[in-house]
């Protein structure tokens, strides 16, 4: 497929391909974060994660190489009795 029009202007498909490459680069950076978090924990430090709308313990835990029960155990005082009830703005230790 030719991804440019007669004037040589890139088509919409080319723009999508470029965005895909950008997303891939961002995903690569995110994939490094769990490793960094594990390194920090081994040094005796912990990071703080600020909960955003739509976050779950499971989604946060997976970003940092943890299971949701581990994350919940370390943050029970912040989260409370119901691990399914996260509120935006909560600060969790990861």
């Amino acid at each position: 497929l030719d991804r440019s029009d007669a004037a040589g202007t890139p088509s919409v498909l080319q723009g999508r391909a470029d965005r895909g490459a950008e997303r891939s680069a961002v995903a690569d950076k995110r994939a490094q974060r769990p490793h960094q978090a594990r390194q920090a924990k081994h040094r005796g430090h912990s990071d703080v994660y600020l909960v955003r709308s739509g976050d779950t313990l499971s989604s946060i835990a997976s970003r940092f190489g943890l299971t949701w029960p581990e994350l919940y155990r370390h943050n029970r005082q912040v989260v409370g009795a119901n691990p399914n009830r996260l509120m935006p703005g909560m600060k969790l230790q990861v």
Side-chain angles (χ1 to χ4, degrees):
L1 282 174
D2 181 16
R3 294 184 178 191
S4 59
D5 62 15
T9 306
S11 69
V12 174
L13 292 176
Q14 181 62 39
R16 288 182 185 158
D18 292 344
R19 285 192 300 269
E22 291 171 11
R23 288 185 186 129
S24 179
V26 169
D28 289 344
K29 288 180 184 177
R30 287 182 183 156
Q32 294 170 359
R33 289 182 187 156
H35 177 68
Q36 292 168 348
R38 284 193 295 273
Q39 284 180 337
K41 287 180 80 172
H42 292 302
R43 290 191 308 256
H45 302 287
S46 64
D47 293 325
V48 175
Y49 178 82
L50 186 63
V51 175
R52 295 180 286 178
S53 179
D55 280 341
T56 63
L57 283 178
S58 180
S59 67
I60 297 166
S62 68
R63 290 180 198 163
F64 293 94
L66 302 167
T67 64
W68 78 262
E70 288 175 314
L71 185 60
Y72 179 58
R73 256 194 317 277
H74 294 291
N75 292 283
R76 188 171 292 196
Q77 296 225 338
V78 176
V79 175
N82 186 350
N84 296 314
R85 189 172 175 106
L86 292 183
M87 303 299 290
M90 285 181 171
K91 294 179 181 177
L92 303 180
Q93 298 294 317
V94 292

